[in-house]
């Protein structure tokens, strides 16, 4: 944590008196007279960049959101629209709007700033905060979370040292303004595209490469991905439990990349730079090449109680396929990439020798077949109900056996069918007691053999 030196009111008044004797437009220590840092406030981009003063509202942390939705933890940072150079002196003035707690200022974007070990957090105080940036610099963010009931808000005025970045905001920024910012703001390396559901942080030079693309349509498609996967997950706002979280997905480029990097999801979603076109071109986001983004956003939606060992890269594709259907991409990936062949090869093995969790050729594709066949039989409503019931029950399951049992019983109850034959043919390695529990439900068997379903 870096030490901050707030100015007293007396010192602040003195600075104002000194400033009044200087030439107009000269940079001073006062927040009031540091407008030249806001991208030449009198220049062509003055009305396009992020506001000099912004109000932020406290909320629960992202882990609390993840715990409620029973999914993975993700981003909780709020955008400022400003970049800070390494080792620079920066000024930010804070005013308490409501409550008593204040936010933190954060430097560094997860995955994007791959040279830094961790982000740097600065505790803020009411008044003018003078901060020495760390040796890395980077995009400035705000973190405003509380483990108590959120009840605070604060305004931050960004002054000396805060450099505005090209900032496209959905339904606000025009394409012409975007081009002007890309051309004029050459002293920053990054840009931000803010949609209703996501924050995309990319290199400015890559944004220039794809500047002719339709950023409004791109923003809409990114939102449609998240919305489609939320819908598949039963995040429908029907109750507070099933309501989306307050934070936006963070999507960025990892540069420089580590050996073996491609794309991944965690507290942010990253692509390596050679794949930047997949997040900056709307035709790729909503087409076959969008699979990677659909997949990584899917990782955030996965629910632990029915994701046992070996399924991390399997059930994630249920969400990707929900996005695929939303964009009407046909044929499905199962057909397009010949994945049913792996399923057919698995069923060519004698039933007594099949082990769903064992060594399976093309395991991810094969195992996906089981979950996809349940979708073919019972549709989106099956998985919507599964997600919502899992959130409601919030079971504490720590073993693969417990997670398989939970999923199998849920599948039978939700479908209204005895799926014993289906699970036995798929070779789920559970004890006979699980099948005894299924029998005790007194449900009829499906009219057709679900293992034969294909699309």
């Amino acid at each position: 944590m870096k030490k901050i030196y707030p100015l007293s009111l007396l010192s602040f008044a003195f600075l104002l008196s000194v400033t009044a004797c200087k030439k107009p437009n000269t940079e001073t220590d006062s927040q009031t007279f540091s407008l030249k840092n806001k991208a030449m406030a009198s220049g062509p981009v003055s009305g396009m960049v992020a506001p000099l003063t912004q109000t932020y509202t406290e909320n629960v942390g992202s882990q609390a959101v993840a715990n409620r939705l029973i999914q993975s933890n993700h981003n909780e940072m709020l955008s400022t629209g400003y970049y800070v150079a390494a080792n620079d002196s920066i000024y930010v003035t804070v005013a308490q709007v409501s409550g008593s707690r204040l936010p933190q200022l954060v430097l560094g974007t997860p995955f994007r700033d791959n040279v830094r070990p961790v982000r740097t957090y600065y505790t803020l105080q009411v008044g003018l905060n003078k901060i020495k940036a760390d040796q890395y610099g980077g995009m400035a963010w705000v973190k405003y979370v509380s483990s108590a009931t959120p009840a605070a808000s604060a305004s931050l005025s960004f002054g000396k040292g805060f450099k505005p970045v090209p900032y496209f905001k959905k339904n606000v920024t025009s394409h012409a303004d975007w081009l002007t910012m890309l051309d004029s703001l050459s002293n920053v390396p990054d840009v931000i595209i803010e949609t209703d559901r996501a924050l995309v942080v990319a290199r400015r030079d890559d944004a220039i490469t794809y500047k002719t693309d339709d950023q409004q349509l791109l923003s809409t498609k990114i939102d449609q991905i998240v919305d489609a996967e939320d819908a598949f997950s039963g995040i429908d706002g029907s109750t507070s439990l099933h309501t989306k979280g307050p934070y936006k997905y963070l999507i960025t480029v990892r540069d420089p990349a580590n050996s073996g990097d491609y794309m991944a999801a965690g507290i942010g979603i990253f692509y390596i730079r050679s794949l930047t076109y997949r997040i900056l071109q709307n035709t790729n986001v909503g087409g076959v090449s969008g699979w990677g983004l659909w997949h990584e956003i899917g990782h955030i939606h996965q629910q632990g109680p029915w994701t046992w060992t070996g399924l991390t890269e399997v059930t994630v594709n249920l969400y990707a396929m929900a996005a695929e259907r939303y964009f009407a991409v046909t044929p499905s990936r199962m057909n397009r990439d010949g994945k049913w062949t792996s399923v057919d090869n698995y069923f060519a093995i004698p039933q007594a020798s099949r082990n769903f969790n064992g060594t399976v050729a093309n395991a991810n594709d094969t195992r996906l077949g089981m979950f996809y066949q349940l979708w073919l039989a019972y549709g989106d409503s099956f998985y919507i109900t599964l997600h919502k019931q899992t959130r409601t029950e919030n079971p504490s399951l720590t073993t693969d056996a417990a997670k398989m049992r939970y999923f199998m019983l849920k599948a039978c109850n939700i479908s209204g069918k005895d799926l014993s034959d289906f699970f036995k043919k798929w070779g789920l390695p559970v004890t006979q007691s699980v099948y005894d529990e299924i029998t005790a439900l007194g449900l009829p068997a499906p009219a057709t053999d679900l293992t034969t379903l294909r699309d």
Side-chain angles (χ1 to χ4, degrees):
M1 184 179 297
K2 304 295 183 181
K3 192 171 183 180
I4 301 169
Y5 304 92
L7 293 180
S8 67
L9 291 177
L10 180 61
S11 299
F12 187 65
F14 173 75
L15 284 171
L16 286 178
S17 66
V18 172
T19 301
C21 300
K22 295 183 178 180
K23 292 192 303 180
N25 299 322
T26 299
E27 181 177 293
T28 76
D29 285 347
S30 169
Q31 172 71 45
T32 306
F33 295 93
S34 61
L35 289 178
K36 67 179 293 183
N37 290 288
K38 189 176 180 286
M40 304 167 292
S42 60
V45 296
S46 60
M48 305 174 190
V49 297
L52 181 67
T53 298
Q54 301 176 45
T55 298
Y56 295 89
T57 301
E58 181 183 55
N59 220 311
V60 297
S62 58
Q63 187 60 63
V65 176
N67 292 344
R68 171 174 61 82
L69 294 174
I70 309 186
Q71 60 181 32
S72 296
N73 191 14
H74 194 57
N75 172 58
E76 64 186 5
M77 296 193 302
L78 308 173
S79 176
T80 68
Y82 290 93
Y83 185 89
V84 173
N87 301 309
D88 208 353
S89 295
I90 55 176
Y91 291 3
V92 56
T93 301
V94 179
Q96 189 85 61
V97 176
S98 63
S100 59
R101 291 180 291 269
L102 293 172
Q104 292 176 296
L105 182 70
V106 186
L107 289 187
T109 304
F111 299 123
R112 173 71 188 98
D113 304 320
N114 204 26
V115 294
R116 66 162 56 243
V118 292
R119 287 165 286 169
T120 302
Y121 295 78
Y122 302 89
T123 299
L124 300 176
Q125 301 176 26
V126 170
L128 179 60
N129 295 260
K130 299 176 67 175
I131 300 170
K132 177 73 170 179
D134 63 24
Q135 68 193 81
Y136 305 104
M139 199 73 79
W141 304 89
V142 169
K143 179 180 177 180
Y144 206 176
V145 304
S146 175
S147 57
T149 301
S153 60
S155 69
L156 274 62
S157 295
F158 303 102
K160 177 183 177 182
F162 286 92
K163 305 176 188 296
V165 303
Y167 196 147
F168 185 92
K169 191 163 187 176
K170 182 184 176 185
N171 296 328
V172 174
T173 308
S174 70
H175 183 69
D177 285 352
W178 177 242
L179 296 181
T180 298
M181 286 187 284
L182 288 177
D183 182 60
S184 301
L185 301 176
S186 58
N187 62 337
V188 292
D190 289 355
V191 304
I192 294 180
I193 297 175
E194 181 176 359
T195 78
D196 294 336
R197 305 300 309 275
L199 294 162
V200 180
V201 179
R203 289 172 56 121
R204 174 177 166 271
D205 48 6
D206 289 336
I208 290 173
T209 298
Y210 302 109
K211 66 182 181 180
T212 60
D213 208 77
D214 186 335
Q215 287 75 38
Q216 178 66 25
L217 183 55
L218 173 72
S219 300
T220 297
K221 288 186 176 182
I222 290 173
D223 288 341
Q224 288 169 337
I225 296 169
V226 180
D227 288 344
E229 296 193 14
D230 272 6
F232 185 77
S233 304
I235 302 174
D236 56 11
S238 56
T239 68
S240 59
L241 182 63
H242 306 305
T243 298
K244 65 185 179 183
Y247 301 111
K248 300 189 177 188
Y249 283 71
L250 177 63
I251 304 166
T252 190
V253 55
R254 190 168 196 169
D255 181 41
N258 297 330
S259 177
D261 279 347
Y262 188 62
M263 60 184 74
I267 56 173
I269 292 169
F270 79 80
Y271 279 65
I272 57 174
R273 191 185 174 198
S274 63
L275 299 176
T276 301
Y277 69 94
R278 296 193 186 185
I279 57 175
L280 291 181
Q281 288 186 301
N282 72 78
T283 54
N284 286 305
V285 168
V288 173
S289 292
W291 181 270
L293 187 56
W294 309 342
H295 174 100
E296 299 305 338
I297 291 175
H299 273 306
I300 309 304
H301 287 89
Q302 284 176 292
Q303 291 189 313
W306 48 279
T307 305
W308 59 89
T309 302
L311 294 187
T312 300
E313 294 298 331
V314 176
T315 57
V316 60
N317 288 327
L318 291 171
Y319 308 96
M321 294 181 84
E324 180 181 62
R325 291 190 295 274
Y326 181 89
F327 290 115
V329 175
T330 56
S332 74
R333 187 176 175 91
M334 287 293 291
N335 261 319
R336 185 172 65 250
D337 292 351
K339 296 183 182 299
W340 286 119
T341 300
S342 298
V343 174
D344 293 338
N345 291 338
Y346 178 72
F347 281 118
I349 300 171
Q351 182 171 331
S353 300
R354 295 176 204 155
N355 183 344
F356 187 83
N357 296 344
T359 301
V360 177
N362 300 315
N364 292 341
D365 296 343
T366 301
R367 291 169 181 154
L368 177 60
M370 183 187 78
F371 293 95
Y372 190 49
Q373 284 176 334
L374 288 171
W375 179 83
L376 289 172
Y378 304 115
D380 283 354
S381 62
F382 174 88
Y383 282 104
I384 291 171
T385 303
L386 174 61
H387 282 86
K388 295 179 80 169
Q389 289 189 5
T390 301
R391 272 195 292 276
T392 300
E393 296 169 8
N394 193 14
S396 179
L397 308 176
T398 58
T399 67
D400 287 346
K403 293 179 179 183
M404 283 188 290
R405 172 186 173 275
Y406 183 79
F407 176 76
M408 293 167 70
L409 288 170
K410 277 292 162 196
C412 293
N413 276 306
I414 293 169
S415 67
K417 302 296 181 181
D418 184 327
L419 300 177
S420 295
D421 183 64
F422 176 72
F423 290 129
K424 286 178 179 178
K425 286 182 176 178
W426 269 104
L428 267 69
V430 296
T431 62
Q432 180 58 41
S433 63
V434 176
Y435 289 109
D436 292 342
E437 288 185 82
I438 293 175
T439 300
L441 296 175
L443 300 171
T448 59
D449 181 354
L450 303 191
T451 65
T452 65
L453 296 180
R454 304 287 187 273
D455 63 352

